[in-house]
Structures are given as C-alpha cells and as structure tokens.
Amino acid sequence: MAGAYIHIPFCAHICYYCDFNKVFIEGQPVDDYVSMLLREMQMVMAQYPDEPIKTVYVGGGTPTTLTPAQLDRLCRGIRETLHFEQGEFTFEANPNDLLTTEKLQVLHDNGVNRLSIGVQSFDDAILKQIGRTHRSQDVYTAIANARQVGFDNLSIDLIFRLPGQSRDNFLHSLQKALALDLPHYSTYSLILERKTIFYNLMRKGKLTLPTQDVEADMYQDAIDLMQVHGRQQYEIANFAQPGFECRHNLLYWQNAHYFGFGAGAFGYIGRDRYHNYGPIQQYLAPLKAHKLPVIEHHLVPLEEQIEEEMFLGLRTRAGVSRQRFFDRYHLRIEDVYGTLLAQLQAQGLLTDADGQVCLTNRGMFLGNEVFQQFLIDGPLL
C-alpha cells in the first residue's frame, strides 16, 4: 500500500517565508499542467497496476487557486487514474479561496474528505507582515462554508516565531484556533529558508525575530493548550483528536512508500527515491513527449534507510518500534546506535521503554540537533 502526493505549484500571491516549489499563477499554462499531471499519473500507475493507494494529499503552492472546473477535472482524474475508491483525500486550501462554497462543493462532490487550511495567525497585522492576503475574519467564513458543505475533518496551520510576534500574541492565535473546535491543528516554528524574502531580509539585518527562549515558550504553550483541549500531540508539529491524525503524513513518518506527482514532487517506491523537474516548462516538456518528468533517481542504501527510519519515527510521539525496526532491517536498534541511545537518555532527550524509542518534550524541541546524531558514519555491512 502507498500514498500519493500531488503538487499544484500555483499561487495567487507569494508569501514571504515560503520556499516550496511555486509560481505566481497569472499567465501560467494551468490547463496544460492539469492535463500533463493526469498523464503522469496514468504513465506511472501503468507500471504499478496492482499498487493500492491508501491516501491522497494535494498540496502546493495553493491547490485551491484552480478554478472550479479545473478542480473538478483534477479530482475526477485522480479517482479514475489512481483507482482511489476510499481513504483519506486531503486538499490544502487558503481561507480566501473558500469565501464562497463553489470550490468547496466541487471538492466535496468528488470525494475530498479532509481540508488543511493555511491560517498561520489570527493577527491581521502579522498576516500582512508575512505576506498573507487573507485576514482573520476570512478564516471564520471559510470554516463555516466548509462545514455547511459537509466537511468535518478540518485542520488549520499556525506559525510561531514570526517577526513582531510576542508569546502573548501567539497564545491569542492558539486560543482563537482552538475556539473553532477543529479535530486537527498543525503549528510550526518559522524556518528561514534560502530563496525567500525573509531570508534575504535576515541577511540584510532587517528581520527581528523572537529569541530562542521565547520560541521554546511558544512551543510549550502550544503543547500544553492543545492537551487541555483534548488534542493529542502525535508528531512534533501536529495535534489531533483521536482518530483524526493525518494518515497521509503518518505514511511519511513511518518511512512508508508514496508516489509523487507534479512539478518538483518527490516519490519513494521500493528503494527508489525520485524527484521531478521543478520549473513548469521543464516538467511539461517530457510529458508532452510521453516521457516521465523525473530529473533524478536515487537508490536508497541500507544506511540511509535506517537513518530515515530514526529521523522520521522520532518525529512522532509513538517513536520508533524496536520490533518494526528489527523486522525491516534484521538488526536491533542498539546494534547500530547502542552508545548514542544511552547518551541521549542521559541528556534527557530520549526515552526507551516498552519496545519504543521516543523523544522527550525537550528532545522534540531540539529535534534537528538530535536527528543529526543518528547519521551513520560509513557502511554497516
């Protein structure tokens, strides 16, 4: 069983923090893109006719920048081509694309059953400062419209450590978000990625961010407040009522297989990790010639598989299962990481009990620093 990630690279506006593969939609060959995207799915699935698709996630960019007709064509094509009868079917959306029910109705009619809505903050001044074009009132309209159409599996994203954001300001956004009583929330610390407006401002000394101590307080506030409201932290940045965890993302964190379709998309099938061309025309050209738009294939060696098993599994509260690790690699975790496990436990970053290796709260906050220590130096066999 595998998941399918489908990338829509178009945006009506480019946010200042975003480094995902995206382009401003005006003047772009959107209809051609949808056609070639469906062709890519047909070509790939012809090679895997018996591979059941468990989850579908349409991300971006902003998938809801497509017109209702384009959304309808895309969703119908996904169902027909991927043989995706039932399962979690997620679309990312911006609030200001959902101010009427037209697009929502198209998605719902085509079997989309989960929405992930990019909110980021409930402070209009901060939304403007980070390059978002919606305002907080639009979030309420979007959620009301989604519920009216019949969506109940809804998630929103929040970002902390934003320019000009205080701890109280983020706490206010958390409270506003939880008052909506949604089954799922994601909250991420701002990362300054290259090729973003914020990164360039930082290099010029023109970006003032909260301190690391304030960032840590914001993260702990999110964990605590979500817990009080019955949303369990099941991954570093994700919180859900039981049964509403994002099943597609769980495939990633369990180091499972997934197809990647669209410009710049990654896939991971068997030991093959592949990567599509990112620029739109470079993605379209091979498909028009009935060739796949893959720029690179990477056969993942054992060492890298094990590293990723640890990186990804430790992102989740469930952690890494000793039994699952042994079943996959015919090695015990301590055969590879015995000394390191003891060191991280002594530092209060890791727990190792009941057959599960997990990060502590402090370990989760320092996640990237901890993960780097699981890199393997040299071949195992």
Side-chain angles (χ1 to χ4, degrees):
M1 285 187 138
Y5 173 77
I6 297 164
H7 192 71
I8 305 298
F10 307 113
C11 288
H13 182 78
I14 305 300
C15 300
Y16 302 161
Y17 54 84
C18 178
D19 78 327
F20 294 128
N21 187 47
K22 80 282 182 188
V23 293
F24 184 53
I25 193 169
E26 189 172 328
Q28 293 293 333
V30 182
D31 286 319
D32 276 358
Y33 184 86
V34 173
S35 296
M36 293 302 102
L37 181 57
L38 295 176
R39 177 174 291 178
E40 181 193 5
M41 292 182 210
Q42 291 163 359
M43 292 173 66
V44 170
M45 297 316 294
Q47 299 175 13
Y48 298 91
D50 300 321
E51 185 75 55
I53 301 297
K54 184 177 182 181
T55 64
V56 173
Y57 191 105
V58 184
T62 312
T64 48
T65 55
L66 300 187
T67 65
Q70 289 164 343
L71 287 170
D72 183 64
R73 185 172 168 226
L74 174 62
C75 290
R76 287 176 184 273
I78 289 170
R79 287 229 168 257
E80 292 167 4
T81 307
L82 300 184
H83 310 296
F84 179 63
E85 298 300 329
Q86 58 183 0
E88 183 186 84
F89 191 177
T90 302
F91 250 77
E92 289 183 349
N94 272 352
N96 42 346
D97 291 326
L98 309 180
L99 299 183
T100 68
T101 59
E102 188 177 11
K103 292 182 181 182
L104 286 161
Q105 193 66 60
V106 169
L107 296 177
H108 192 266
D109 289 348
N110 279 286
V112 175
N113 52 27
R114 183 176 185 274
L115 295 178
S116 178
I117 303 173
V119 171
Q120 318 316 353
S121 174
F122 281 84
D123 184 311
D124 286 349
I126 284 183
L127 287 171
K128 186 174 181 180
Q129 191 170 342
I130 66 176
R132 299 293 287 176
T133 55
H134 76 271
R135 295 298 173 255
S136 58
Q137 185 54 47
D138 297 336
V139 178
Y140 296 102
T141 304
I143 296 294
N145 284 341
R147 284 172 164 158
Q148 177 187 332
V149 166
F151 286 100
D152 55 10
N153 194 352
L154 300 168
S155 176
I156 62 175
D157 293 354
L158 296 174
I159 301 179
F160 59 96
R161 191 183 167 242
L162 292 169
Q165 188 180 49
S166 66
R167 181 180 178 183
D168 283 347
N169 178 279
F170 178 59
L171 195 57
H172 175 75
S173 281
L174 280 171
Q175 291 165 339
K176 291 282 190 181
L178 284 161
L180 288 167
D181 195 25
L182 305 179
H184 190 284
Y185 297 90
S186 300
T187 180
Y188 305 96
S189 176
L190 175 69
I191 298 174
L192 296 176
E193 303 282 9
R194 293 178 182 274
K195 300 180 182 178
T196 64
I197 292 172
F198 275 172
Y199 183 82
N200 290 331
L201 288 173
M202 180 271 294
R203 292 192 64 187
K204 295 175 183 176
K206 296 181 178 180
L207 192 70
T208 304
L209 300 175
T211 65
Q212 190 175 51
D213 285 345
V214 172
E215 178 188 4
D217 288 340
M218 290 173 168
Y219 183 52
Q220 193 61 53
D221 285 343
I223 294 172
D224 293 344
L225 204 57
M226 292 288 175
Q227 176 75 30
V228 167
H229 285 80
R231 273 65 181 178
Q232 305 301 319
Q233 185 184 31
Y234 69 99
E235 190 267 347
I236 284 179
N238 287 275
F239 305 81
Q241 290 177 327
F244 285 91
E245 298 85 359
C246 179
R247 294 173 190 171
H248 182 82
N249 285 343
L250 283 169
L251 287 178
Y252 297 150
W253 300 322
Q254 291 165 358
N255 207 17
H257 295 158
Y258 56 91
F259 294 96
F261 301 108
F266 285 83
Y268 184 33
I269 300 295
R271 287 178 57 201
D272 177 28
R273 175 169 289 113
Y274 62 89
H275 180 200
N276 283 349
Y277 284 99
I280 304 297
Q281 292 302 334
Q282 289 185 38
Y283 168 77
L284 295 177
L287 285 164
K288 289 178 178 178
H290 294 272
K291 297 178 182 177
L292 289 174
V294 177
I295 189 173
E296 180 184 24
H297 287 279
H298 172 55
L299 198 62
V300 181
L302 174 65
E303 293 78 14
E304 195 173 326
Q305 292 177 53
I306 288 176
E307 290 169 353
E308 291 177 356
E309 188 83 16
M310 301 304 294
F311 299 163
L312 296 168
L314 287 174
R315 290 188 64 90
T316 68
R317 279 294 183 193
V320 178
S321 161
R322 287 181 163 278
Q323 187 62 52
R324 178 185 168 103
F325 188 97
F326 184 80
D327 291 344
R328 277 193 162 190
Y329 306 110
H330 307 294
L331 292 165
R332 298 176 304 164
I333 296 178
E334 57 265 36
D335 292 337
V336 186
Y337 296 114
T339 304
L340 177 61
L341 293 183
Q343 289 173 348
L344 293 175
Q345 279 186 271
Q347 295 166 18
L349 301 173
L350 200 74
T351 63
D352 186 357
D354 301 321
Q356 299 290 132
V357 177
C358 308
L359 292 184
T360 62
N361 273 4
R362 183 164 173 265
M364 282 201 161
F365 179 71
L366 299 172
N368 288 336
E369 296 172 34
V370 177
F371 299 152
Q372 287 175 8
Q373 298 182 61
F374 283 92
L375 293 171
I376 297 170
D377 185 17
L380 286 176
L381 302 176

